Amino acid sequence: MDQLDTPMDIDKPPDVHAKYTALGDAFVLSLRFSCDHPARKCTPSTRFHFVLDNSGSMGRNSEAAKECFADLAAVATLGVSLVAFNTTAELLGEAFRTPAEMRGVRLPRQGGTNITAGIQASVDLIRKFAEKEDAHHLLVLLSDGMHMSGPPPSSVLPEMGAKLKKDFPRLRLSVVVVGVTRNSDTSMGMLLKETLETVPLDLQPIYFADSPQQMTETLQQMNQGLASLQGSLVSVSLDQGRFIRLVGEDGDPTAEVLANHEEQVLLCQGEAPKILTVDGAACECEALPTLDADLVIKALEKQFDAARVRRVAAGTESTRPAVKKLGEWIAILEAASAGTTTKLELAKANPKMRLAQHRALKTAVSGFRSLRNQLVELDAYSANDSASQAAFLTGATRKYGAKALRRAAAHGEVDPEERRRELITEAKALQPRMRTALWDDLLAKVQQLPKEAQQKLCSELAGSMPQTPAAFREFCLSQTENAAALQRALAEKLVALMGCRQSYVSLQSSWEHLSEWIDFSPEGCNTEYELLMCLGIVGYPMEVERRDATQMNPYAMNITRIRATPVDTASVATALHSEQPVVPPEGGKSVEDVLILVDPEAPTASKLAVSSLLLRETYTSVVLCRDLHMFTGNSMVMALHAHALLAALQPPGQRTDDVVQHLRRQFLGRAYQCASCGYGPIDHFACGDLEAHHGEQMGTGEINNSCPRCQWFSPDIHDWQPWDGKVPDEALPQSSEAEAPCATAAALEVFLRICYSARKLWKTHDQSDLHQLCQKLANWESITSADDVDHPVKLLLALAIVDELPTDALEQVPMLSVLNEACARRAHDELKAMGHKEEPQIMGAARKRVASFLGIVSSSAPETQDLMTPEPARPSVRENCCAEFTLDDQEFDYKNWVKDNALPTVHVLRTIRALRTLLKNRGGWKQLEQDMEKGTQAYADVVQALQTKKSPDLDLAKWLDVKGSREAKRALATIAAQAFLHQSSKLRRTVDAGGCLSEPLPDVRDGETLRNLAVDIRMAIYDERVAQKNKAWASDGKMLILRSAGNASLAEYEAFLGRATHVHGLDKSTFWGLWEASKKDKAKMSAFLRTANLYFAWKHQT
């Protein structure tokens, strides 16, 4: 970062590309230095100067800081100096060349805190070097407290800095501040930067450690930042304009910038130059025809950084001019970009087009919003403590900054840049395999065409080459330069001949999106998100409900809907990251997530894409966790397949959230609502005089401009309030009792494709894990989470896709087991959602809920005996406990609760049963897979056979094998009661399996099952009463026994003793009560000691 060793030839133009864009009364200058520029080739001359707090409060941290500083001795080319300060300052070394040299220096005794002395000693050394050499100096101050002795820095630093800059106008000095604990003085550190620094670096203005324990980590971050600086400093000069370090200042005609691979952006005022000077060499400066928003945003971001430093260093008033001027420039930027902001045009867009559109929109939306937020924050900031000031300086107080820091803390092991390179490397490595795989898939489709169509297609694409299938394949695989064009041409012709699914957003087929993997070039992909915009696959839109636990347990989520209209992940990722909605063609909620599957239309190529790191890990992580780096394993992919299988087969119907979204898109911002009752939306579009046509006859109807709900009316449109987006219940679809088929043909198509994809991704033979799950069902084993059954939906997926299903796996008892397990896990989730964490709290809430719909009150539970009377054996109490119940769904609608949780599973189980019957008669899954790869017509019979018109309610009754409404209500109540009272794995497994049951849970269809559950609740109430009695006995039992035994006859006293074969078998209160009572009667004492152990009798024998 020093000047060149040999002067640059002024007549020779430097390898610099300069351009500028106008910004009101200012302009933004951009400089790019080519790799051939001399300043990028030479080794920079640098000196680092460390000023270390060695006060008593630092303790061992002074030595730890010195160790970290020593690592940078190998980075600075001219050496490292070290000043340690306590009450005074001591220069411990001027130019350490190696880390070992610096580590060998002993720190002096610790004392007070004289920051001024430490800075002065380091500045004196910088002066000494500046007189004899031209180097880039970097001063690093580390302190954990406030200045305590000597003149305060606030009174010394301004004069010190002014004199230093006057004496050495060409001095290149950068300042880095490290604050340790909240006692450190952040404002003083920023004053140091303000007064001494002449060359700002693209580093944090302060490195702050909230505690001494975090100091080493913070210093390592600083070391990494300093070590990553590349290039040498060059001087850039303007003839007319001036470089602005902070808005409101006069500026300087010369600026020092780092000549490295990055673009350097500078804000300037004055006349824009046609020629500027770079290290003495003239350089032409290109004028951009329109305002470049990217350049302006980068320049203003730097201004905000400088303004934050000034705000902390000198207070609010010091940044008032900057705030005002920055606001004016942001307004100019927004106005200039308003007309250019457009919606995404993703139809037939290639990766470069998607990326370019995203960047344009992102700049217009996020960039402007970020600048506005920073402006408001800068104007309103008022905190004065060091930690808050450090957060303000580093951006951690801003919403996006805090979120980034949280993610960085949670995933410190993931380097985004390293991960991006890893994804690019794998994508490039996949290209030859993807090219071959796509050829295989396309040529397999060609083989399915009639012979005449094959010959015609081959002739059109290959000209006069021999047109046998083998010859055409050899021709295609031999193409190198024209391979991509030939593949696209073949794909287009096959789409026209055979039809193929297309993304309704990109209007491209699965083959076309897969071909983008072959043509992929990583140039311009700066983030992982941008890679997702470039490379994708056609899938199905889905709506995902996530939970906090999804990262640890990917099954802890829910897919509420799968749409049958295909969409591609690349377009959706582009739209979402550009904050643009993707509206489904059928309307409703916007698309945010896509289910990616192995596609039978391109089985080989799509499997490669689905199995890639980009889609399998990164995209799956985004879908489930809304984070790029939360992927925890292939169980995430299986969880999506399994939950999607359940969602795909649910009955169709209009949903209220779809209606709400549609109305908001159509009317929000243009419709009104009633000023009296709030009803809306009411469309008074383009009608200012509502009375003109109010009541007018139109055909057989009448125009009514009043409120449809309360009939309020005003002729003045200004009296009506703008609609707030709330949709009244009257406008929402009402539930219909009409029977609906369980699934449409389109839904069954999605179901079969999910099964196909799962079979391609996981093993399904009779030794596979999925087959073992099915075997558990067939064996009537428990299927709790403790039995390695992650979720009931995983069982459904296994039942659908394994090669050969175990005998009896789809019989009545296993299917009831699946329904009961699904309800039990739902009950567990609901109880946990109530805020209950501990098992006693969860069970208390469960019993309360079940008691509410069984009509059980505490008065019907067994009562305890009086305090002096022992309780009978618990089995005896249970035998005599009331088992009656009265079903009541007023407080908790158990019937609909069971239907809501069981019916979705019933729909899937019914379809799986039908599918399994079909597979037996048409060659099994292997044949169905081949048919799916041929096209929809080849397996249309399967889709048609799976469709049914049966009522879902009748299906549930049939599944439960119950007759009559009374028996059905009892069975539903039993399922709900058993689900809540046995909602955990421990409560659903036998003792032999690690649970607490003496025998497996009884059949929910058995009438005695519910009676026993009613007894369980009453016995739990009885147990609570016994616990209260025991607590009272522990408190008062001794006195009661003493009183009764003291007044008792000898025979009665001996009866007390006879309650146990040995007095030491009595409870504590009874034992000591009887002993105290015996002390006044030798006969009673003798009787007591006869039944005591030898040691107690010997000790108390008189």
Side-chain angles (χ1 to χ4, degrees):
M1 288 178 280
D2 62 342
Q3 286 185 323
L4 299 178
D5 295 334
T6 57
M8 185 179 296
D9 186 358
I10 296 179
D11 297 328
K12 181 181 179 181
D15 297 306
V16 181
H17 178 228
K19 61 182 179 180
Y20 71 88
T21 184
L23 179 65
D25 59 350
F27 62 93
V28 177
L29 177 66
S30 164
L31 295 172
R32 285 190 179 275
F33 298 88
S34 74
C35 58
D36 295 326
H37 191 281
R40 290 188 60 181
K41 292 182 175 182
C42 70
T43 302
S45 299
T46 54
R47 286 189 183 273
F48 292 171
H49 307 277
F50 297 111
V51 183
L52 175 61
D53 187 342
N54 194 38
S55 60
S57 60
M58 283 288 290
R60 297 180 179 179
N61 291 312
S62 296
E63 187 65 32
K66 188 195 75 171
E67 291 292 313
C68 291
F69 288 158
D71 292 334
L72 290 171
V75 177
T77 58
L78 299 179
V80 169
S81 71
L82 176 63
V83 171
F85 66 88
N86 40 55
T87 307
T88 59
E90 182 177 346
L91 178 62
L92 302 179
E94 292 187 358
F96 297 112
R97 294 287 185 152
T98 66
E101 286 183 34
M102 189 167 176
R103 290 191 175 102
V105 174
R106 293 176 61 100
L107 293 175
R109 293 175 62 87
Q110 294 180 325
T113 308
N114 190 342
I115 298 177
T116 304
I119 296 173
Q120 184 66 65
S122 188
V123 168
D124 289 343
L125 183 62
I126 292 173
R127 282 176 162 274
K128 174 183 173 181
F129 288 125
E131 291 176 348
K132 59 183 180 182
E133 66 185 17
D134 185 8
H136 182 190
H137 299 270
L138 193 144
L139 187 151
V140 180
L141 169 68
L142 183 148
S143 177
D144 76 337
M146 306 289 285
H147 177 83
M148 299 298 292
S149 63
S154 58
S155 64
V156 176
L157 286 178
E159 183 179 352
M160 182 191 301
K163 193 171 187 307
L164 181 66
K165 293 175 182 177
K166 179 182 178 182
D167 295 343
F168 302 95
R170 302 295 297 164
L171 177 68
R172 295 169 170 179
L173 174 60
S174 303
V175 176
V176 175
V177 178
V178 182
V180 182
T181 78
R182 295 173 181 267
N183 295 325
S184 59
D185 192 345
T186 301
S187 61
M188 184 279 301
M190 295 306 100
L191 180 62
L192 176 67
K193 285 181 70 69
E194 276 281 302
T195 54
L196 297 187
E197 188 170 64
T198 62
V199 180
L201 297 176
D202 288 333
L203 298 174
Q204 292 181 194
I206 185 171
Y207 288 87
F208 182 79
D210 198 49
S211 65
Q213 292 74 21
Q214 296 177 359
M215 185 193 71
T216 301
E217 181 181 352
T218 302
L219 288 175
Q220 288 173 350
Q221 293 175 3
M222 182 200 72
N223 285 7
Q224 291 172 2
L226 293 174
S228 66
L229 293 175
Q230 297 178 352
S232 299
L233 285 173
V234 297
S235 295
V236 183
S237 302
L238 299 173
D239 290 336
Q240 302 294 329
R242 303 180 76 83
F243 296 103
I244 304 302
R245 180 174 175 181
L246 177 62
V247 179
E249 296 181 346
D250 293 336
D252 195 290
T254 302
E256 305 287 338
V257 298
L258 275 175
N260 55 25
H261 66 283
E262 296 181 354
E263 181 182 37
Q264 302 298 325
V265 179
L266 302 166
L267 181 66
C268 312
Q269 283 189 306
E271 183 179 345
K274 295 182 179 179
I275 301 291
L276 54 83
T277 304
V278 179
D279 264 358
C283 177
E284 292 186 3
C285 191
E286 174 190 359
L288 297 178
T290 58
L291 184 141
D292 189 321
D294 282 333
L295 280 182
V296 174
I297 289 175
K298 289 178 182 178
L300 295 186
E301 287 281 3
K302 287 190 173 184
Q303 289 295 312
F304 275 112
D305 289 340
R308 280 189 284 269
V309 171
R310 172 67 60 82
R311 167 64 187 84
V312 173
T316 305
E317 293 303 320
S318 65
T319 56
R320 291 294 185 202
V323 169
K324 181 180 179 181
K325 194 63 183 178
L326 286 170
E328 294 175 3
W329 282 336
I330 293 172
I332 292 173
L333 179 62
E334 291 172 333
S337 301
T340 61
T341 302
T342 59
K343 292 185 177 180
L344 291 171
E345 297 291 341
L346 297 173
K348 296 299 181 180
N350 59 36
K352 289 184 178 180
M353 294 166 63
R354 290 193 290 267
L355 209 54
Q357 292 185 67
H358 156 71
R359 286 175 176 166
L361 278 171
K362 196 67 174 176
T363 297
V365 178
S366 301
F368 302 161
R369 184 185 303 148
S370 172
L371 291 176
R372 279 291 175 193
N373 290 342
Q374 292 182 68
L375 186 67
V376 172
E377 181 189 41
L378 178 62
D379 192 35
Y381 184 75
S382 61
N384 290 315
D385 65 281
S386 292
S388 297
Q389 289 174 339
F392 170 67
L393 290 164
T394 57
T397 56
R398 297 193 291 279
K399 179 180 179 181
Y400 64 86
K403 186 174 184 180
L405 289 177
R406 285 197 301 272
R407 287 185 176 175
H411 308 290
E413 73 282 0
V414 178
D415 181 348
E417 178 58 25
E418 183 178 340
R419 177 63 171 174
R420 182 187 71 89
R421 290 195 296 267
E422 180 184 9
L423 294 175
I424 289 175
T425 299
E426 195 223 24
K428 297 290 288 183
L430 278 177
Q431 287 182 321
R433 296 174 58 195
M434 183 67 76
R435 180 179 291 106
T436 302
L438 191 56
W439 273 129
D440 290 340
D441 293 335
L442 292 173
L443 293 174
K445 286 292 181 182
V446 173
Q447 295 293 322
Q448 297 168 18
L449 294 172
K451 289 186 177 180
E452 292 183 1
Q454 286 188 42
Q455 293 175 355
K456 181 179 179 181
L457 179 62
C458 294
S459 298
E460 291 175 354
L461 294 175
S464 59
M465 293 289 294
Q467 301 312 321
T468 64
F472 181 68
R473 175 182 175 83
E474 183 178 349
F475 166 77
C476 291
L477 295 178
S478 66
Q479 301 300 301
T480 54
E481 296 181 0
N482 301 323
L486 183 61
Q487 278 188 335
R488 283 192 293 270
L490 179 56
E492 290 173 1
K493 290 186 177 295
L494 287 174
V495 170
L497 290 171
M498 306 178 66
C500 180
R501 294 183 314 144
Q502 288 185 329
S503 163
Y504 77 89
V505 178
S506 69
L507 302 184
Q508 297 185 76
S509 67
S510 179
W511 296 323
E512 290 172 296
H513 277 286
L514 289 169
S515 69
E516 292 178 344
W517 290 73
I518 302 171
D519 302 333
F520 168 67
S521 173
E523 295 178 3
C525 288
N526 300 323
T527 67
E528 293 169 70
Y529 265 117
E530 291 185 350
L531 286 172
L532 289 173
M533 297 178 210
C534 291
L535 300 177
I537 194 172
V538 174
Y540 291 104
M542 60 179 173
E543 295 173 15
V544 182
E545 290 180 352
R546 301 162 191 83
R547 302 177 191 169
D548 292 339
T550 303
Q551 180 192 1
M552 301 304 297
N553 175 16
Y555 288 91
M557 57 96 175
N558 188 30
I559 296 178
T560 58
R561 175 162 58 183
I562 298 286
R563 295 184 183 272
T565 307
V567 70
D568 66 287
T569 61
S571 295
V572 172
T574 303
L576 286 180
H577 211 46
S578 305
E579 301 183 36
Q580 296 287 306
V582 179
V583 181
E586 59 267 38
K589 293 182 66 175
S590 299
V591 177
E592 295 184 356
D593 299 292
V594 182
L595 176 68
I596 57 175
L597 304 171
V598 178
D599 191 347
E601 293 173 357
T604 312
S606 63
K607 184 177 179 180
L608 276 178
V610 169
S611 303
S612 68
L613 291 178
L614 183 63
L615 294 187
R616 179 173 60 90
E617 296 188 5
T618 303
Y619 187 72
T620 299
S621 177
V622 170
V623 169
L624 281 179
C625 307
R626 283 296 181 260
D627 192 284
L628 290 165
H629 307 132
M630 291 283 194
F631 185 77
T632 55
N634 288 332
S635 59
M636 282 187 160
V637 182
M638 182 174 284
L640 285 170
H641 276 71
H643 276 287
L645 190 81
L646 180 69
L649 293 179
Q650 300 317 304
Q654 192 175 35
R655 300 186 351 173
T656 59
D657 52 356
D658 284 343
V659 175
V660 170
Q661 293 287 339
H662 178 73
L663 289 174
R664 286 176 179 169
R665 274 196 296 269
Q666 186 174 3
F667 293 109
L668 198 60
R670 58 167 280 184
Y672 298 87
Q673 66 184 37
C674 175
S676 177
C677 69
Y679 182 92
I682 300 172
D683 193 14
H684 291 320
F685 180 69
C687 185
D689 184 3
L690 299 180
E691 198 168 26
H693 301 287
H694 185 57
E696 183 179 306
Q697 292 292 326
M698 289 288 290
T700 59
E702 180 181 291
I703 296 177
N704 185 357
N705 285 331
S706 62
C707 172
R709 177 192 281 169
C710 70
Q711 305 308 311
W712 176 84
F713 174 75
S714 173
D716 189 349
I717 192 66
H718 297 96
D719 292 339
W720 295 77
Q721 300 173 352
W723 182 45
D724 59 8
K726 295 180 181 178
V727 180
D729 292 339
E730 300 95 306
L732 297 176
Q734 304 301 311
S735 59
S736 174
E737 298 297 328
E739 294 183 6
C742 264
T744 62
L748 288 167
E749 172 76 22
V750 176
F751 163 73
L752 290 174
R753 284 176 175 267
I754 294 171
C755 293
Y756 175 92
S757 177
R759 285 181 55 81
K760 292 297 182 181
L761 293 174
W762 294 286
K763 297 177 181 178
T764 55
H765 53 73
D766 58 3
Q767 298 299 317
S768 65
D769 293 338
L770 292 174
H771 189 276
Q772 295 306 310
L773 288 179
C774 298
Q775 193 65 57
K776 283 179 179 288
L777 278 176
N779 296 343
W780 295 15
E781 298 177 28
S782 59
I783 50 174
T784 68
S785 57
D787 298 299
D788 296 326
V789 180
D790 298 311
H791 195 280
V793 294
K794 186 175 180 180
L795 285 169
L796 299 179
L797 183 66
L799 290 169
I801 70 171
V802 294
D803 295 342
E804 296 294 335
L805 202 62
T807 305
D808 300 334
L810 286 173
E811 294 303 316
Q812 188 75 17
V813 172
M815 295 303 92
L816 283 175
S817 178
V818 174
L819 295 182
N820 289 332
E821 184 66 25
C823 289
R825 298 205 188 193
R826 179 61 181 171
H828 181 75
D829 290 343
E830 290 186 6
L831 293 170
K832 296 277 283 188
M834 293 178 183
H836 306 303
K837 304 298 182 184
E838 303 298 328
E839 189 64 25
Q841 294 177 324
I842 294 174
M843 287 306 302
R847 295 187 190 106
K848 182 179 179 181
R849 172 162 289 186
V850 176
S852 70
F853 66 80
L854 294 186
I856 296 175
V857 293
S858 59
S859 60
S860 65
E863 297 287 350
T864 56
Q865 305 294 324
D866 63 75
L867 197 56
M868 289 294 292
T869 305
E871 292 298 312
R874 196 174 187 282
S876 175
V877 178
R878 182 179 179 88
E879 184 177 353
N880 295 310
C881 182
C882 175
E884 300 303 318
F885 56 86
T886 302
L887 297 180
D888 180 8
D889 59 3
Q890 295 301 309
E891 186 173 340
F892 179 73
D893 191 350
Y894 66 91
K895 291 181 290 186
N896 281 329
W897 184 87
V898 173
K899 289 179 181 179
D900 289 344
N901 290 291
L903 276 178
T905 303
V906 169
H907 299 327
V908 181
L909 288 173
R910 181 189 60 192
T911 305
I912 291 174
R913 272 185 172 177
L915 175 64
R916 281 295 171 183
T917 301
L918 288 169
L919 291 176
K920 288 181 180 179
N921 301 323
R922 68 184 318 277
W925 258 114
K926 297 293 184 183
Q927 183 60 50
L928 181 54
E929 285 177 345
Q930 295 175 13
D931 292 341
M932 292 181 71
E933 291 168 6
K934 292 177 182 177
T936 55
Q937 292 302 316
Y939 62 100
D941 61 309
V942 177
V943 175
Q944 184 176 2
L946 292 177
Q947 287 186 274
T948 177
K949 296 288 185 179
K950 293 182 180 179
S951 166
D953 283 356
L954 292 178
D955 273 327
L956 183 57
K958 179 180 179 181
W959 228 269
L960 296 175
D961 194 22
V962 294
K963 298 177 182 179
S965 61
R966 182 176 181 180
E967 189 175 350
K969 288 181 180 179
R970 176 187 52 74
L972 293 175
T974 306
I975 292 175
Q978 191 180 86
F980 280 101
L981 296 178
H982 296 273
Q983 31 75 31
S984 69
S985 297
K986 183 178 180 181
L987 296 172
R988 299 183 70 80
R989 306 173 84 202
T990 61
V991 174
D992 294 341
C996 62
L997 298 177
S998 58
E999 55 186 23
L1001 289 171
D1003 195 327
V1004 293
R1005 298 166 298 175
D1006 189 340
E1008 284 301 308
T1009 301
L1010 189 57
R1011 290 175 60 83
N1012 285 328
L1013 292 171
V1015 171
D1016 289 342
I1017 293 176
R1018 291 187 173 96
M1019 287 301 295
I1021 298 173
Y1022 169 72
D1023 290 339
E1024 291 176 358
R1025 291 171 176 170
V1026 171
Q1028 289 296 321
K1029 177 181 176 180
N1030 289 337
K1031 184 177 181 180
W1033 178 253
S1035 174
D1036 304 328
K1038 179 179 177 180
M1039 294 304 299
L1040 291 173
I1041 288 291
L1042 176 60
R1043 187 181 305 123
S1044 298
N1047 296 328
S1049 65
L1050 180 60
E1052 292 172 331
Y1053 182 84
E1054 289 177 338
F1056 277 114
L1057 296 175
R1059 292 180 181 178
T1061 57
H1062 200 282
V1063 288
H1064 294 284
L1066 298 170
D1067 64 84
K1068 181 178 179 181
S1069 297
T1070 302
F1071 179 91
W1072 291 111
L1074 290 173
W1075 172 245
E1076 290 296 328
S1078 72
K1079 291 181 178 180
K1080 297 180 179 180
D1081 189 322
K1082 291 185 177 181
K1084 290 180 179 180
M1085 180 177 289
S1086 178
F1088 187 95
L1089 293 176
R1090 281 199 303 271
T1091 59
N1093 62 37
L1094 291 177
Y1095 177 77
F1096 189 91
W1098 172 81
K1099 181 178 179 181
H1100 296 282
Q1101 192 73 43
T1102 57

